[in-house]
Amino acid sequence: MRRFVRDNGLSLGFGIAFLFALAGQAAAGHAEFNNQLATDGLAQISFGNYLMSSDFAVDVTENWQSEYLQFFLYIVATVWLLQRGSPESKALNKAGTESDQEQRTGEHARHDSPRWAGIGGARQALFSRSLGLVMGGLFLLSWLAQSISGVAAYNEQQLRQLQAPIDWGNYLASADFWSRSLQNWQSELLAVASMAILSVYLRQRGSPESKPVGTPHTSTGVEG
């Protein structure tokens, strides 16, 4: 058990932190939602009913879709885009998908390489892009979930104000949907850009996201 925790500490740590943060968001969101209901002169709802509500769902999924978009764009963009001196970038001479030898695919696969790395054909092509495809798919699924829960939450608000609800297509063109999306996208893109440039000049001893402390600023693609 101790070895399992050590070997999976990163995913376990962030997974547990995620659950605590989600629970905190649910508790705070429930209180805020009931305060709004009280202001509108409506009956408050239980915590369980809030967890099943479109308001909670849209608040959660709008953050999920922006995070998966961030990682999808970062994974794909770093194939071609470089940043001199950053450990977040590949070496300056390695832009692109690289050779089979560098990627250990086809005849260059080793005995311990994943099976599909050396098998060739469509399976190798799929496996070699699987991370980007899954992240892109998770973004689309969470974006869809956000749009569906978002239109439900928006229409609930419309009915409280005695205004007509709208359909899903019109919600996708609404300011509410794009305001929710873009306010998250811009923060994620800013964070990635900041990490790429700050890691050129700043260090975090022992972190694989940082270069070793004594590495020159111009060293690219070097991790500590």
Short mmCIF file of all heavy atoms in Angstrom, two decimals, residues 40-66:
data_model
loop_
_atom_site.label_atom_id
_atom_site.label_comp_id
_atom_site.label_asym_id
_atom_site.label_seq_id
_atom_site.Cartn_x
_atom_site.Cartn_y
_atom_site.Cartn_z
N ASP A 40 -35.21 36.50 -4.19
CA ASP A 40 -36.31 36.49 -5.16
C ASP A 40 -37.64 36.09 -4.54
O ASP A 40 -38.65 36.00 -5.24
CB ASP A 40 -35.98 35.51 -6.31
CG ASP A 40 -34.78 35.97 -7.14
OD1 ASP A 40 -34.45 37.17 -7.08
OD2 ASP A 40 -34.18 35.13 -7.83
N GLY A 41 -37.64 35.82 -3.24
CA GLY A 41 -38.87 35.44 -2.56
C GLY A 41 -39.32 34.02 -2.86
O GLY A 41 -40.51 33.71 -2.76
N LEU A 42 -38.36 33.12 -3.16
CA LEU A 42 -38.69 31.74 -3.50
C LEU A 42 -38.19 30.79 -2.41
O LEU A 42 -37.33 31.14 -1.60
CB LEU A 42 -38.02 31.35 -4.83
CG LEU A 42 -38.45 32.19 -6.06
CD1 LEU A 42 -37.60 31.84 -7.26
CD2 LEU A 42 -39.93 31.99 -6.36
N ALA A 43 -38.76 29.58 -2.38
CA ALA A 43 -38.38 28.59 -1.38
C ALA A 43 -36.97 28.09 -1.62
O ALA A 43 -36.56 27.91 -2.77
CB ALA A 43 -39.37 27.43 -1.40
N GLN A 44 -36.23 27.88 -0.55
CA GLN A 44 -34.88 27.37 -0.67
C GLN A 44 -34.89 25.87 -0.94
O GLN A 44 -35.90 25.20 -0.73
CB GLN A 44 -34.10 27.69 0.61
CG GLN A 44 -33.96 29.18 0.87
CD GLN A 44 -33.05 29.49 2.03
OE1 GLN A 44 -32.62 28.60 2.76
NE2 GLN A 44 -32.72 30.77 2.21
N ILE A 45 -33.79 25.34 -1.44
CA ILE A 45 -33.70 23.92 -1.79
C ILE A 45 -32.65 23.24 -0.93
O ILE A 45 -31.76 23.88 -0.37
CB ILE A 45 -33.38 23.72 -3.29
CG1 ILE A 45 -31.98 24.25 -3.62
CG2 ILE A 45 -34.44 24.37 -4.17
CD1 ILE A 45 -31.53 23.93 -5.03
N SER A 46 -32.76 21.91 -0.84
CA SER A 46 -31.80 21.13 -0.06
C SER A 46 -30.47 21.02 -0.79
O SER A 46 -30.37 21.28 -1.99
CB SER A 46 -32.36 19.73 0.21
OG SER A 46 -32.43 19.00 -1.01
N PHE A 47 -29.45 20.59 -0.04
CA PHE A 47 -28.12 20.41 -0.63
C PHE A 47 -28.15 19.34 -1.72
O PHE A 47 -27.53 19.50 -2.78
CB PHE A 47 -27.12 20.03 0.46
CG PHE A 47 -25.71 19.89 -0.03
CD1 PHE A 47 -24.99 21.00 -0.47
CD2 PHE A 47 -25.09 18.65 -0.05
CE1 PHE A 47 -23.68 20.88 -0.92
CE2 PHE A 47 -23.78 18.51 -0.50
CZ PHE A 47 -23.08 19.61 -0.93
N GLY A 48 -28.89 18.25 -1.48
CA GLY A 48 -28.99 17.18 -2.47
C GLY A 48 -29.63 17.66 -3.76
O GLY A 48 -29.17 17.31 -4.86
N ASN A 49 -30.69 18.45 -3.62
CA ASN A 49 -31.34 18.98 -4.83
C ASN A 49 -30.45 19.96 -5.57
O ASN A 49 -30.48 20.04 -6.80
CB ASN A 49 -32.66 19.67 -4.45
CG ASN A 49 -33.76 18.68 -4.12
OD1 ASN A 49 -33.73 17.54 -4.56
ND2 ASN A 49 -34.72 19.11 -3.30
N TYR A 50 -29.63 20.71 -4.82
CA TYR A 50 -28.70 21.63 -5.48
C TYR A 50 -27.66 20.87 -6.30
O TYR A 50 -27.31 21.28 -7.41
CB TYR A 50 -27.99 22.52 -4.45
CG TYR A 50 -26.94 23.40 -5.07
CD1 TYR A 50 -27.28 24.47 -5.90
CD2 TYR A 50 -25.58 23.13 -4.87
CE1 TYR A 50 -26.31 25.26 -6.49
CE2 TYR A 50 -24.61 23.92 -5.47
CZ TYR A 50 -24.97 24.98 -6.27
OH TYR A 50 -24.01 25.75 -6.88
N LEU A 51 -27.18 19.73 -5.76
CA LEU A 51 -26.20 18.94 -6.49
C LEU A 51 -26.76 18.40 -7.80
O LEU A 51 -26.01 18.14 -8.74
CB LEU A 51 -25.71 17.77 -5.63
CG LEU A 51 -24.88 18.11 -4.40
CD1 LEU A 51 -24.44 16.85 -3.69
CD2 LEU A 51 -23.67 18.97 -4.76
N MET A 52 -28.08 18.23 -7.89
CA MET A 52 -28.73 17.73 -9.09
C MET A 52 -29.20 18.86 -10.00
O MET A 52 -29.78 18.61 -11.06
CB MET A 52 -29.92 16.85 -8.72
CG MET A 52 -29.57 15.63 -7.88
SD MET A 52 -28.41 14.52 -8.72
CE MET A 52 -29.45 13.95 -10.07
N SER A 53 -28.95 20.10 -9.61
CA SER A 53 -29.47 21.25 -10.35
C SER A 53 -28.59 21.63 -11.53
O SER A 53 -27.40 21.32 -11.56
CB SER A 53 -29.62 22.46 -9.42
OG SER A 53 -28.33 22.97 -9.07
N SER A 54 -29.19 22.31 -12.47
CA SER A 54 -28.44 22.79 -13.63
C SER A 54 -27.46 23.89 -13.24
O SER A 54 -26.41 24.04 -13.88
CB SER A 54 -29.41 23.31 -14.70
OG SER A 54 -30.25 24.32 -14.18
N ASP A 55 -27.76 24.64 -12.20
CA ASP A 55 -26.86 25.71 -11.76
C ASP A 55 -25.52 25.13 -11.29
O ASP A 55 -24.45 25.67 -11.62
CB ASP A 55 -27.50 26.51 -10.62
CG ASP A 55 -28.63 27.38 -11.12
OD1 ASP A 55 -29.75 26.87 -11.28
OD2 ASP A 55 -28.39 28.58 -11.36
N PHE A 56 -25.57 24.05 -10.49
CA PHE A 56 -24.33 23.43 -10.05
C PHE A 56 -23.59 22.80 -11.23
O PHE A 56 -22.38 22.93 -11.36
CB PHE A 56 -24.63 22.37 -8.99
CG PHE A 56 -23.41 21.64 -8.51
CD1 PHE A 56 -22.40 22.30 -7.83
CD2 PHE A 56 -23.26 20.28 -8.75
CE1 PHE A 56 -21.26 21.62 -7.38
CE2 PHE A 56 -22.13 19.60 -8.31
CZ PHE A 56 -21.13 20.27 -7.63
N ALA A 57 -24.35 22.13 -12.10
CA ALA A 57 -23.74 21.45 -13.25
C ALA A 57 -23.02 22.42 -14.17
O ALA A 57 -21.89 22.16 -14.62
CB ALA A 57 -24.80 20.69 -14.03
N VAL A 58 -23.62 23.57 -14.44
CA VAL A 58 -22.99 24.51 -15.37
C VAL A 58 -21.75 25.15 -14.75
O VAL A 58 -20.75 25.39 -15.44
CB VAL A 58 -23.99 25.58 -15.85
CG1 VAL A 58 -24.37 26.57 -14.75
CG2 VAL A 58 -23.43 26.34 -17.05
N ASP A 59 -21.80 25.40 -13.43
CA ASP A 59 -20.62 25.98 -12.77
C ASP A 59 -19.44 25.03 -12.81
O ASP A 59 -18.29 25.45 -12.97
CB ASP A 59 -20.96 26.34 -11.32
CG ASP A 59 -21.85 27.56 -11.21
OD1 ASP A 59 -21.94 28.33 -12.19
OD2 ASP A 59 -22.47 27.75 -10.15
N VAL A 60 -19.71 23.73 -12.65
CA VAL A 60 -18.64 22.73 -12.68
C VAL A 60 -18.11 22.52 -14.10
O VAL A 60 -16.90 22.57 -14.34
CB VAL A 60 -19.14 21.40 -12.09
CG1 VAL A 60 -18.11 20.29 -12.33
CG2 VAL A 60 -19.41 21.54 -10.60
N THR A 61 -19.01 22.30 -15.04
CA THR A 61 -18.58 21.94 -16.39
C THR A 61 -17.92 23.09 -17.14
O THR A 61 -17.09 22.86 -18.01
CB THR A 61 -19.76 21.41 -17.21
OG1 THR A 61 -20.85 22.35 -17.18
CG2 THR A 61 -20.26 20.08 -16.65
N GLU A 62 -18.28 24.34 -16.81
CA GLU A 62 -17.63 25.45 -17.52
C GLU A 62 -16.16 25.54 -17.14
O GLU A 62 -15.33 25.98 -17.95
CB GLU A 62 -18.35 26.77 -17.24
CG GLU A 62 -18.12 27.37 -15.88
CD GLU A 62 -18.83 28.69 -15.69
OE1 GLU A 62 -20.02 28.79 -16.02
OE2 GLU A 62 -18.18 29.64 -15.21
N ASN A 63 -15.82 25.11 -15.93
CA ASN A 63 -14.40 25.06 -15.55
C ASN A 63 -13.70 23.84 -16.15
O ASN A 63 -12.55 23.94 -16.58
CB ASN A 63 -14.28 25.04 -14.02
CG ASN A 63 -14.62 26.36 -13.39
OD1 ASN A 63 -13.93 27.36 -13.60
ND2 ASN A 63 -15.70 26.41 -12.63
N TRP A 64 -14.40 22.72 -16.17
CA TRP A 64 -13.79 21.52 -16.76
C TRP A 64 -13.43 21.73 -18.22
O TRP A 64 -12.34 21.37 -18.66
CB TRP A 64 -14.74 20.34 -16.61
CG TRP A 64 -14.88 19.81 -15.22
CD1 TRP A 64 -14.30 20.34 -14.08
CD2 TRP A 64 -15.62 18.68 -14.79
NE1 TRP A 64 -14.66 19.60 -12.98
CE2 TRP A 64 -15.46 18.57 -13.37
CE3 TRP A 64 -16.42 17.74 -15.45
CZ2 TRP A 64 -16.07 17.55 -12.64
CZ3 TRP A 64 -17.02 16.72 -14.71
CH2 TRP A 64 -16.84 16.64 -13.32
N GLN A 65 -14.35 22.30 -18.99
CA GLN A 65 -14.09 22.43 -20.42
C GLN A 65 -12.92 23.37 -20.69
O GLN A 65 -12.13 23.14 -21.60
CB GLN A 65 -15.36 22.86 -21.18
CG GLN A 65 -15.98 24.19 -20.76
CD GLN A 65 -15.50 25.37 -21.58
OE1 GLN A 65 -14.68 25.20 -22.46
NE2 GLN A 65 -16.02 26.54 -21.29
N SER A 66 -12.76 24.41 -19.87
CA SER A 66 -11.63 25.32 -20.09
C SER A 66 -10.30 24.65 -19.74
O SER A 66 -9.29 24.89 -20.41
CB SER A 66 -11.82 26.60 -19.27
OG SER A 66 -11.77 26.34 -17.88
#
